[in-house]
Amino acid sequence: MMSPSDGSSPDAQTLCSTARLREIADLGLNDSDIDAILSEIAAEAAAHFGLPIALVSIVLDQAQYFRGSHGLDGWMATAGGTPAEWSFCQHVVRNRAPFVVDDARHHPLMQDSPLVRIEGIRCYAGVPLITFRGHVIGSFCVQGPDARSFTKYDLAQLQRYAKRVITRIEQRRRG
């Protein structure tokens, strides 16, 4: 059996799936005009949840990049993303399911991430962005600097925002 460090673990295979990465390319997400539209949806979600940050995160094999955002500042806003290995959103993509962290300082998967230790992210709720062809291309998420619980109702609301995002993204499909 191969070890996770050789890049061939099931998790790594999920992020590196050629079909999934081709799907991301076909959606025309490099066009700058989509950012403003997706950022409007992110701003609505941040206000709804009373959290400072909401993101449309597209997760590649090595990095996540933000195609829509609200509330980012500093180096993450300038870079427009982070390494995938630091991200909360990678877990949404790998598991094809919502990922919720009430207090990242005590979460076994996230407590050592620089996003927690240095940037101070404490709470996170993200749901998958699933294309009409069934590929999980990223996550729609909200996050903040204080520990917080999320209810089933909260996740249902987050799913509604994610559906709006994916509908808008699908309108741009090239292939």
Side-chain angles (χ1 to χ4, degrees), residues 2 5 13 21 23 33-34 36 54 56 62 65 76 79-80 94 99 106 109 133 145-146 165:
M2 295 182 208
S5 63
Q13 290 172 359
L21 295 174
E23 177 81 335
D33 64 327
I34 195 164
V56 175
Q62 301 278 325
Y65 68 102
M76 279 194 286
R94 285 185 170 138
F99 183 63
H106 307 293
L109 295 175
R133 294 181 181 165
D146 301 309
V165 166

Side-chain angles (χ1 to χ4, degrees), residues 39 41-57 64 66 68-72 88-89 92 99-102 104 121-128 139-146 148-151 153-159 161-162 165:
S39 292
I41 298 170
E44 285 179 43
H48 173 84
F49 287 97
L51 289 168
I53 299 172
L55 302 169
V56 175
S57 174
Q64 69 173 344
F66 309 130
S69 67
H70 174 81
L72 277 185
F88 291 76
C89 298
V92 173
F99 183 63
V100 176
V101 176
D102 296 338
I121 296 171
R122 296 294 175 258
C123 69
Y124 171 94
V127 296
S139 172
F140 185 77
C141 65
V142 292
Q143 53 191 258
D146 301 309
R148 173 194 170 145
S149 296
F150 294 91
T151 66
Y153 176 77
D154 290 336
L155 288 179
Q157 291 299 106
L158 206 53
Q159 289 280 9
Y161 287 111
V165 166

Side-chain angles (χ1 to χ4, degrees), residues 15-85:
L15 292 182
C16 294
S17 161
T18 302
R20 190 182 78 78
L21 295 174
R22 187 175 301 121
E23 177 81 335
I24 291 170
D26 287 348
L27 292 169
L29 295 171
N30 288 331
D31 297 342
S32 61
D33 64 327
I34 195 164
D35 292 1
I37 296 160
L38 299 181
S39 292
E40 287 177 21
I41 298 170
E44 285 179 43
H48 173 84
F49 287 97
L51 289 168
I53 299 172
L55 302 169
V56 175
S57 174
I58 306 302
V59 180
L60 302 176
D61 52 349
Q62 301 278 325
Q64 69 173 344
Y65 68 102
F66 309 130
R67 294 316 301 164
S69 67
H70 174 81
L72 277 185
D73 60 12
W75 71 269
M76 279 194 286
T78 302
T82 72
E85 67 189 53

